[in-house]
Amino acid sequence: MADQPVTSGTTGEQAGPTQGGPAPAVDQQALDEVVRFTSELIRIDTSNYGGGSCQERPAAEYAAARLAGAGLESTLLERTPGRANVVARIPGSDPGAPALLVHGHLDVVPAKAEDWSVPPFSGEIDDDVVWGRGAIDMKNMDAMILAVARYWSRAGLRPRRDIVIAFTADEEASAADGSGFLAEQHGALFEGCTEGISESGAFTVHDGRGRQIYPVAAGERGTAWLKLTARGRAGHGSRVNRDNAVTRLAAAVTRIGEHRWPVRLTPTVRAALTELAALYDIKADLGDPGDPQGAEGPEGLGDAVDALLAQLGPLGALVAATTRNSANPTMLEAGYKVNVIPGEAVAFVDGRYLPGGEDEFRATLDRLTGPDVDWEFAHREVALQAPVDTPTFARMRAALEEFAPEGDVVPYCMSGGTDAKQFSRLGITGYGFTPLKLPEGFDYHALFHGVDERVPIEALHFGVRVLDRFLRTA
Ligand SMILES: [Zn+2]
């Protein structure tokens, strides 16, 4: 059923009043359920190949049924049949407080079974790990949200703010059937939401020197996929031709690929570098925090930032991609025969720009492509910037520190994008907060869209505890 809300599940007990006193830890059932739900969601194959073939509806129905078991009524929404999204609201105890959105996508990227040690959609649980596509990105978080909501219902607990839960379709392609559709057509379901949390932050980064860092995402670079077109005079390959489209395109592509983008510190990245430098007792002159975005940085800022990134090791790698705009040529299309000069040549470039960096990005591309090559956006998504000096950020920090006292929480900016971009159209400020406590040697980023994706059970337990604490106190 396209674009028709379907109400499902009104049975089960209603959430009771807020309890006073110190918040209890989650119960054993929540710990068991997060593992089982992760496994069962993985077994529902929601591979998104793009092009609209994905079917999220079975996973959406699974999630809605788990919420119904907690007395939560949810709405299933589809723009395209089978591409279901789920939205539910848990009323908070403070009617004056703004609502908080917690969202997770239901689709996953495809997996090539022959590359894996276990079947990727088995959801196999061994001693300490749940295996399968989506274990990290992001059926783990979907399961945590469900486990927490059900725990609150059992324990008669209520969050302070209204919590709006959204499980989305189509995040791994265009979001047109998922968060884009919800933001465009069903904004009323998100009424009162000022902030949101989702992938990907609050996971353990081991620095190799015994320190554990929990980066919480407070921003995303924007996406600017570009199409370059060079035109010239078509003709015989043996003739003199100073008007060759391939030569013009190749020159522009080379200039873009070799361009060294200047360092621009957004507030989030400046905060990340400042906090990391302090943790490691590294002296770094990051210039004037009041320096407006896009203005020329202080003399030597680029060198100072690069030196600091090098000293920070794996943590430097986490921040490096977000200190600059970037543009990488990725595809070339021109010609059909070696002795024919084509009249047109086309290239594609994967560009990413910082929050506040779009004007500089455009101006730089105009200059690098020059007068003979046109460029346009083939696909474009906004950049996001979230404040790190807010009560909400402080509560995320406190929830992590309570359950991982040995860790240090720092803000960071994501180099790519998430559904938060779509929800930002509703005025919702997005944070990456999917708490996971990971052992040393567990390469979180390599498992995103990677082979043998898996999640430690201990990480899921930690996630439920932290998420419960944060969502209830936020
Ligand atoms: Zn994801």
Side-chain angles (χ1 to χ4, degrees):
M1 192 182 303
D3 201 6
Q4 289 298 313
V6 181
T7 299
S8 71
T10 50
T11 55
E13 54 180 308
Q14 298 297 316
T18 311
Q19 290 182 342
V26 297
D27 62 10
Q28 184 61 43
Q29 187 174 337
L31 301 179
D32 294 342
E33 285 188 348
V34 70
V35 175
R36 182 158 58 82
F37 294 169
T38 301
S39 166
E40 288 175 354
L41 280 166
I42 288 168
R43 282 159 58 183
I44 304 172
D45 182 348
T46 50
S47 294
N48 190 346
Y49 289 86
S53 60
C54 184
Q55 292 287 300
E56 289 91 347
R57 189 167 180 105
E61 286 172 344
Y62 177 93
R66 301 281 112 30
L67 292 174
L72 287 169
E73 195 178 289
S74 48
T75 308
L76 263 67
L77 302 132
E78 296 180 339
R79 186 184 79 135
T80 305
R83 316 280 330 252
N85 300 270
V86 182
V87 182
R89 182 180 289 252
I90 301 174
S93 58
D94 178 355
L100 176 69
L101 171 65
V102 51
H103 57 103
H105 61 83
L106 295 168
D107 59 327
V108 295
V109 293
K112 243 170 97 187
E114 56 268 36
D115 297 337
W116 283 56
S117 322
V118 299
F121 298 98
S122 64
E124 201 172 302
I125 304 171
D126 68 18
D127 291 344
D128 51 8
V129 170
V130 182
W131 294 81
R133 177 57 85 221
I136 288 285
D137 183 13
M138 60 177 297
K139 286 175 169 171
N140 56 345
M141 176 67 162
D142 299 337
M144 285 181 217
I145 297 166
L146 292 171
V148 167
R150 289 163 61 86
Y151 163 62
W152 289 352
S153 167
R154 275 196 304 283
L157 295 165
R158 226 167 127 178
R160 186 179 74 85
R161 299 164 70 168
D162 273 19
I163 301 292
V164 175
I165 295 172
F167 297 114
T168 60
D170 204 25
E171 195 273 345
E172 297 291 2
S174 70
D177 280 313
S179 55
F181 158 66
L182 294 178
E184 212 170 280
Q185 312 255 340
H186 296 284
L189 291 171
F190 303 91
E191 200 183 324
C193 288
T194 53
E195 296 165 308
I197 62 163
S198 190
E199 59 183 341
S200 63
F203 50 89
T204 325
V205 179
H206 294 265
D207 72 347
R209 289 172 271 176
R211 198 186 279 276
Q212 297 173 29
I213 305 289
Y214 287 83
V216 172
E220 300 181 3
R221 290 202 303 177
T223 307
W225 292 343
L226 314 177
K227 182 185 181 190
L228 273 53
T229 307
R231 291 189 182 82
R233 186 160 44 82
H236 198 288
S238 70
R239 306 293 299 271
V240 173
N241 190 331
R242 302 255 170 251
D243 202 9
N244 185 323
V246 174
T247 309
R248 287 175 172 170
L249 182 80
V253 163
T254 302
R255 287 193 294 271
I256 292 168
E258 290 183 343
H259 182 63
R260 194 170 151 71
W261 293 83
V263 164
R264 299 283 183 246
L265 293 185
T266 65
T268 298
V269 174
R270 181 179 290 278
L273 290 175
T274 303
E275 290 190 28
L276 286 168
L279 275 178
Y280 288 93
D281 214 10
I282 301 170
K283 289 213 184 332
D285 179 9
L286 301 180
D288 174 14
D291 197 22
Q293 177 56 43
E296 285 299 319
E299 197 70 24
L301 176 63
D303 292 342
V305 168
D306 287 342
L308 174 57
L309 292 172
Q311 289 180 76
L312 290 173
L315 291 157
L318 193 71
V319 182
T322 58
T323 58
R324 298 173 158 91
N325 290 336
S326 64
N328 283 308
T330 48
M331 290 162 66
L332 293 167
E333 292 170 8
Y336 56 91
K337 195 165 186 299
V338 68
N339 59 352
V340 179
I341 298 170
E344 187 178 288
V346 170
F348 288 87
V349 173
D350 182 345
R352 310 285 171 140
Y353 60 90
L354 296 168
E358 188 173 356
D359 289 346
E360 184 182 24
F361 183 86
R362 285 168 178 269
T364 304
L365 259 295
D366 284 343
R367 185 163 55 75
L368 293 174
T369 49
D372 297 330
V373 178
D374 294 330
W375 71 271
E376 62 189 308
F377 289 110
H379 177 74
R380 179 165 155 239
E381 297 282 359
V382 294
L384 301 180
Q385 171 72 43
V388 299
D389 55 355
T390 59
T392 299
F393 197 89
R395 286 179 183 123
M396 287 192 279
R397 192 187 284 272
L400 280 168
E401 284 172 353
E402 181 179 344
F403 294 97
E406 70 287 359
D408 291 294
V409 179
V410 297
Y412 88 116
C413 179
M414 282 188 249
S415 61
T418 72
D419 274 342
K421 290 190 190 307
Q422 307 300 328
F423 288 119
S424 75
R425 289 149 61 182
L426 299 173
I428 299 171
T429 301
Y431 292 97
F433 191 77
T434 302
L436 290 173
K437 187 178 173 60
L438 300 170
E440 185 139 32
F442 189 92
D443 192 344
Y444 177 75
H445 283 108
L447 293 181
F448 261 83
H449 301 193
V451 169
D452 283 346
E453 187 176 345
R454 60 196 183 278
V455 64
I457 287 170
E458 201 47 51
L460 294 172
H461 289 175
F462 173 83
V464 167
R465 291 184 175 112
V466 175
L467 195 65
D468 161 62
R469 182 67 88 247
F470 167 67
L471 290 178
R472 229 160 2 114
T473 56

